[in-house]
Amino acid sequence: MAVIENIGDFDFAYKGYQYPLPPSWKYAVRQQDQINWLLQAVLKVSAEGVSADYLSEQIADAVQSVTNGYVNADAALKQYLGSLIAALEDELSKLEGGITAQRNPVTGMRDYAYQVSKQMYDMLRTYACTWDELANTGKTWDELKASGHSWFEADMFGNIYWGDGQQRAKLTPIDHIDVNTPGYTD
């Protein structure tokens, strides 16, 4: 099968004929000339055309290449999404492990999660005693426990029970915070 791109390709049908009009089948005066032109055109298309087998083979190849393109696009998209999911899982594992830096609302700096959580925990304990203040009470832990207060109450409100009862901010410097310090682990 051939594609006719230029109507001038069929001017061969009029070689040897002289007309006052340009040689084109549109301007052929006699019906016999029109038939001769069409016959020559059909013979030329037949000579330069392709077989039905070749045409069906080319169409099948084109369909196969388009189909493969979509299959490869799906695989590429799956690989891209897999890499994004792996990156997010890595970030989540870092957040869970506390080995990623995040904004610290206490200092305004970027610190590791365990430092941030320890400083926030200590800043919430505005009525708490320090360990030194608890030691200065002269009581053992069993005596503190016998006073009827829970661990949470002793930890959060110790300054009310055994101190001066004043509220104060308690900032723990970052270099004093070790991994797995109280206030970091569950």
Side-chain angles (χ1 to χ4, degrees):
M1 179 179 209
V3 177
I4 301 170
E5 295 178 358
N6 185 4
I7 196 69
D9 291 344
F10 297 113
D11 287 344
F12 61 85
Y14 293 103
K15 287 185 181 170
Y17 297 100
Q18 294 294 322
Y19 292 102
L21 300 171
S24 171
W25 74 274
K26 290 186 202 175
Y27 300 110
V29 176
R30 297 180 303 167
Q31 193 173 19
Q32 182 181 355
D33 291 340
Q34 291 178 353
I35 292 170
N36 284 338
W37 185 92
L38 288 174
L39 183 59
Q40 291 290 330
V42 168
L43 290 174
K44 180 168 181 159
V45 168
S46 176
E48 294 183 4
V50 295
S51 67
D53 293 337
Y54 177 76
L55 184 61
S56 62
E57 179 185 327
Q58 292 299 314
I59 290 173
D61 288 345
V63 168
Q64 183 68 22
S65 68
V66 168
T67 305
N68 283 342
Y70 282 117
V71 169
N72 292 339
D74 287 347
L77 182 61
K78 187 182 282 187
Q79 180 182 3
Y80 176 69
L81 288 176
S83 66
L84 289 178
I85 289 169
L88 285 174
E89 287 174 345
D90 185 46
E91 286 295 317
L92 285 175
S93 66
K94 286 180 181 177
L95 284 172
E96 288 172 355
I99 56 173
T100 182
Q102 55 190 337
R103 181 70 62 195
N104 187 340
V106 176
T107 62
M109 303 302 288
R110 293 184 66 79
D111 297 316
Y112 290 109
Y114 67 92
Q115 294 169 334
V116 172
S117 54
K118 173 62 176 161
Q119 283 191 326
M120 287 176 57
Y121 175 76
D122 287 342
M123 289 299 282
L124 289 173
R125 298 169 58 232
T126 58
Y127 288 107
C129 288
T130 64
W131 292 110
D132 293 335
E133 289 171 342
L134 283 175
N136 290 339
T137 61
K139 297 181 178 184
T140 64
W141 174 244
D142 289 333
E143 293 172 343
L144 292 175
K145 209 162 106 178
S147 65
H149 300 295
S150 66
W151 162 252
F152 176 77
E153 291 171 332
D155 187 41
M156 296 297 275
F157 306 110
N159 197 33
I160 294 174
Y161 305 131
W162 304 290
D164 59 8
Q166 295 297 315
Q167 190 175 21
R168 62 192 169 181
K170 183 172 179 279
L171 175 67
T172 306
I174 287 193
D175 51 341
H176 295 159
I177 301 172
D178 294 328
V179 178
N180 292 331
T181 53
Y184 167 63
T185 56
D186 294 334

